[in-house]
Amino acid sequence: MILFTELFEGLKIAWAAIRANKLRSVLTTLGIVIGVVTVTLMGTAIEGLDKAFLKSISFVSADVLYIQKEDWGPKSDAEWRKIQKRREITPEQEAAVERGATMARAIAPVCFSQRLITYNKRSASGVTILGTTDQLLFTGGGLTIADGRFISAAESDGGRPVCVIGTTVATNLFPREPPLGKKVAIDRHAFEVIGVLSRQGDMFGDFDNQAIIPMTQFNTVLERRTGVDMIEVKVRDTTEVEDAKEELRHIMRKARRLAPGDPDDFAINQQDQILDIVHKVIGTIAAVGLFITGLSLFVGGIGIMNIMFVSVAERTREIGIRKAIGAKRRTILMQFIIEAVTICLLGGAIGLGIAWPLTLVVQHFLPASMSLSILGLAILVSLLTGVISGFFPAWRAARMDPVDALRNE
Amino acid sequence: MKNGSLIRLQQLSRRYQMGAETIHALREVSLEIKRGEYVAIMGPSGSGKSTLMNLIGCLDTPTAGQYELNGVLVSDMDDNRLAEIRNKEIGFIFQTFNLLPRADALRNVELPLIYAGASASERRLVALEALTSVGLADRVHHKPNELSGGQRQRVAVARALVNKPSILLADEPTGNLDTKTGNEILALFDELCAKGHTLIVVTHEEDVARRSRRIVRIRDGLIASDEIVKRET
């Protein structure tokens, strides 16, 4: 009960003190306002960045496994060179996977190459050419047809020269006419456009600047590969991903004739690995960003501490009077901490009020919104700033000798 | 305890360290004051009378000796216990009034009740009663700078009375007042004395001291004399 009364009285006194020095209070609060605005915006931006990343990798669904020579994690140059020397993944191994995988819904081999595509006098450069089968439509997440159709089973077996192009290729080559049925040239070989893919996004390389052709065409017309770059495996059920991964690993080891003690000389990649990398990157950005913006809050806190020391010095006599008529150390300590906290919370509230419309601006660039957690964080941070920066001045006030304090003019 | 000693000082000493020099502000002073007494403490400046007042008022602690207030040994209490004693047992009346400038009369008087933990409604009631008893019922919402010196000192008296303390401790209560208002305050003290309050007035004015019943004179940190005032009339 006494504590509550003291808290309430402390608030009243703090409010009176803040009002008594309006200009000073406004200037001090400004430091916290700026701090809270920057921290809040940074938090919002990071959350937005996180969301944008996740959205952009949504084409990699959780139930697709990618068998490749290299894994997706970050690695050193030495590791890179070692991985480059690994044996290729052969069509025979791919066939073994197709035969042996019991938990797969669809399996598609993929080869990549960068080529120039031309149509009449127009050209699209650096296009990623994917050699694959009709199954890619069922394995790859996010592959949808905007116009026309995908490669058929017969086309991927028979190797008719057809292609499905991404939106970037389509707009580059066919600015005015419909692309379907037209013959484009890939390395001077004619391919008929049978479909256009819908837009996919470009956070990790331009996935719209691609063209998909049958694997048989890829290997006869463009290149003569002995292996494939990747085998995409869509797992039947998300709950089976780990089991399926283990099964695939077993099949691959057997197909590549690895002795029981040998390490895998291939990798089975999945979404988690990208998520790990993304989270590491965002974590670093968040730590650095919040540290830098936190500095401005720190400066604001120093401002509060400074002004609280002044306030304590100015009110030495008041402290003496209060002590003489029975205020305990705790009471005085609390009174000044409450004053600092009030300034900080006020600054925090104003800061949030300013940051809110600014996040609406940020929303144009990132899928960001001021979340409740950021709101709570901002309030908590301003509260803590108040307590920490108010503590030392309040401590000095609380320890004052009443006789000395009363003598102060 | 009714007629026993309210204040019992036994060989109370207070030394200050001023650089390399030690100042003996009070040297083994022993003094007893009974409940209901009206005592004036006199002495020239530097005599130690302020030190004595600070010690009696529990604002300061002695370097040596014992101080019993109401039968409780207060000379070795810590800061927080002393704050409690000041709040409940002692009512201060200062020369410069020492009211909070931003608070109105009512709030100034409520202050000791806040620290005692009284509820808002109770505070208001008791504070209003105290202000009425010093004749300021119509000035409760005036701030100190809207009140005359005499009125300010009355507010201070009301504040001193509000927790029903054992002692009223006045330090040069008329020092900042003209003779007329000073006399009004002294008349108020007479009234309080008649009601049974224990009053200790520190002063260097003979006229003020003469209004009390007992004068203790301090010189060089020692009690020079302790006499009963003979009432003339």
Side-chain angles (χ1 to χ4, degrees), chain B residues 38-42 168 170-173 189 199-203 208:
Chain B
Y38 183 176
V39 184
I41 296 175
M42 289 198 72
L168 285 176
D171 182 13
E172 305 278 6
F189 281 9
L199 273 99
I200 300 172
V201 178
V202 176
T203 183
V208 175

Side-chain angles (χ1 to χ4, degrees), chain A residues 262-284:
Chain A
D262 290 351
D264 289 352
D265 62 349
F266 61 92
I268 300 174
N269 295 309
Q270 65 188 104
Q271 189 199 43
D272 286 6
Q273 284 159 288
I274 301 190
L275 288 184
D276 277 357
I277 298 169
V278 165
H279 284 141
K280 254 182 219 150
V281 170
I282 291 180
T284 311

Side-chain angles (χ1 to χ4, degrees), chain A residues 3 63-64 104 190 193 203 207 221 226 239 317 319 337:
Chain A
L3 200 74
D63 55 357
V64 181
V193 178
M203 184 69 86
F207 284 96
V221 180
T226 48
T239 57
R317 199 183 177 81
I319 295 164
I337 288 180

Side-chain angles (χ1 to χ4, degrees), chain A residues 154-181:
Chain A
E155 280 159 353
S156 52
D157 289 344
R160 217 162 71 80
V162 292
C163 68
V164 177
I165 57 176
T167 50
T168 308
V169 180
T171 45
N172 281 346
L173 296 183
F174 307 98
R176 259 171 234 107
E177 45 195 322
L180 289 188

Side-chain angles (χ1 to χ4, degrees), chain B residues 5-66:
Chain B
S5 290
L6 177 65
I7 293 170
R8 185 202 294 267
L9 309 181
Q10 284 174 300
Q11 293 168 325
L12 214 60
S13 297
R14 182 69 171 96
R15 294 186 292 272
Y16 295 102
Q17 204 68 38
M18 286 277 240
E21 209 181 337
T22 307
I23 295 164
H24 294 268
L26 222 55
R27 304 162 191 260
E28 302 198 347
V29 167
S30 297
L31 179 70
E32 280 191 35
I33 294 171
K34 290 190 174 63
R35 192 174 291 278
E37 274 197 277
Y38 183 176
V39 184
I41 296 175
M42 289 198 72
S45 53
S47 60
K49 65 179 193 301
S50 294
T51 304
L52 183 61
M53 192 208 77
N54 289 339
L55 286 172
I56 292 174
C58 294
L59 287 166
D60 197 4
T61 44
T63 328
Q66 288 191 332

Side-chain angles (χ1 to χ4, degrees), chain A residues 37 40-41 349-364 370:
Chain A
V37 167
T40 309
L41 283 183
I350 296 170
L352 284 175
I354 293 173
W356 186 68
L358 288 180
T359 51
L360 296 182
V361 177
V362 174
Q363 264 174 0
H364 285 286
M370 195 185 275

